[in-house]
Amino acid sequence: LQGTLDVGVVSWRGNAIDGLAALLERSPAPLLATELQRLQANLQPPREWEYLLETGISDVFRPCGVPHHKRICLDAVDDQGIIRKPVRIPLTPSTEISWRWRLLEHPSRVAEDSPHSHDYISVACEFDNGRDLTWIWSCELAAETWFDCPIKAWQQRETQFVVRSGLQQGADWHQERRLIYDDVARAMGAPAQHIVAVWLIVVATFRHGRARAEFEAIELHDNNTTIRV
């Protein structure tokens, strides 16, 4: 990727919403209107989750669902983002992760293992060695296959493991449960000592499409211990 940035800095008294509204009265620029609308919507990530610093804040994840039901909704249009929730548990041969998800719109129609088509939706674990394993819902790659991230800056950091394949979009929920230690050993080599965070990932910028999905009941298990993420 290559390109340039043109940056303008405006300083005003008061808050950003009032400042943008005042600018719009004098110049009805579409970019100003879009940013004002974004700030007024005040889209926040789910409680105790935060956007990964390296990939920035994108306002694509939000809490949703009926009251007292912990569900996360994703809606990304030509956008990407990673939200992260810190945890700290040992990674042992019995450590599992489970979650439920449903795919409403897949961001890709071609295999996600190239740098030109790397649009996907996934759940990931970050480890104390600085690496992460992410379980993806591929549009066509076979389940139980894996590949290193095709983006050069992430190749040594992230491995992607296909747990579901196809475009079964709609209202159906799907349950997943993975032995983390086994998947790491198969796809990444010697496992780390601890899990330090759980991630939710979306990329929809390579094919410039849209990704929509919902997640719930994300849990880590080890023997008699269950951590609700």
Side-chain angles (χ1 to χ4, degrees), residues 17-228:
I17 290 177
D18 291 343
L20 286 170
L23 285 175
L24 275 169
E25 290 179 358
R26 294 161 175 78
S27 175
L31 285 176
L32 295 178
T34 298
E35 179 62 8
L36 178 60
Q37 184 179 29
R38 187 189 72 83
L39 290 175
Q40 289 173 331
N42 192 29
L43 296 175
Q44 298 294 324
R47 189 168 62 90
E48 298 179 349
W49 293 77
E50 58 186 15
Y51 279 92
L52 187 69
L53 179 63
E54 297 95 309
T55 55
I57 297 173
S58 54
D59 297 333
V60 296
F61 290 98
R62 60 180 177 85
C64 62
V66 297
H68 312 299
H69 192 90
K70 204 170 184 180
R71 184 177 296 171
I72 298 174
C73 287
L74 154 69
D75 190 350
V77 180
D78 195 11
D79 207 342
Q80 60 181 298
I82 298 175
I83 54 172
R84 177 185 186 272
K85 184 171 182 180
V87 298
R88 181 78 182 186
I89 68 167
L91 177 58
T92 74
S94 60
T95 309
E96 296 180 298
I97 185 171
S98 65
W99 72 93
R100 282 166 41 85
W101 57 352
R102 62 177 175 177
L103 178 65
L104 302 174
E105 192 166 351
H106 201 292
S108 183
R109 293 296 184 272
V110 293
E112 301 88 351
D113 56 354
S114 85
H116 304 293
S117 60
H118 193 52
D119 290 333
Y120 67 100
I121 296 167
S122 71
V123 176
C125 279
E126 177 190 349
F127 307 107
D128 59 359
N129 60 4
R131 302 191 65 193
D132 71 274
L133 179 64
T134 184
W135 295 274
I136 80 168
W137 186 325
S138 173
C139 66
E140 64 175 27
L141 295 172
E144 302 300 320
T145 61
W146 57 86
F147 57 95
D148 291 333
C149 180
I151 307 305
K152 185 176 181 180
W154 285 72
Q155 283 177 355
Q156 303 301 314
R157 177 174 180 176
E158 183 171 80
T159 297
Q160 297 175 330
F161 199 115
V162 181
V163 294
R164 190 165 293 278
S165 182
L167 300 173
Q168 306 102 319
Q169 302 174 165
D172 292 339
W173 285 89
H174 299 272
Q175 176 72 47
E176 314 292 353
R177 194 177 184 101
R178 307 296 304 186
L179 270 168
I180 303 171
Y181 193 98
D182 286 359
D183 286 350
V184 170
R186 290 168 65 190
M188 302 174 68
Q193 297 294 311
H194 290 83
I195 301 168
V196 297
V198 173
W199 295 2
L200 298 180
I201 304 175
V202 61
V203 181
T205 49
F206 292 97
R207 313 296 291 185
H208 308 293
R210 185 177 188 182
R212 292 188 300 129
E214 296 181 6
F215 308 82
E216 66 179 24
I218 306 170
E219 296 179 340
L220 294 166
H221 314 270
D222 201 330
N223 295 320
N224 295 322
T225 300
T226 296
I227 298 175
R228 190 71 179 269

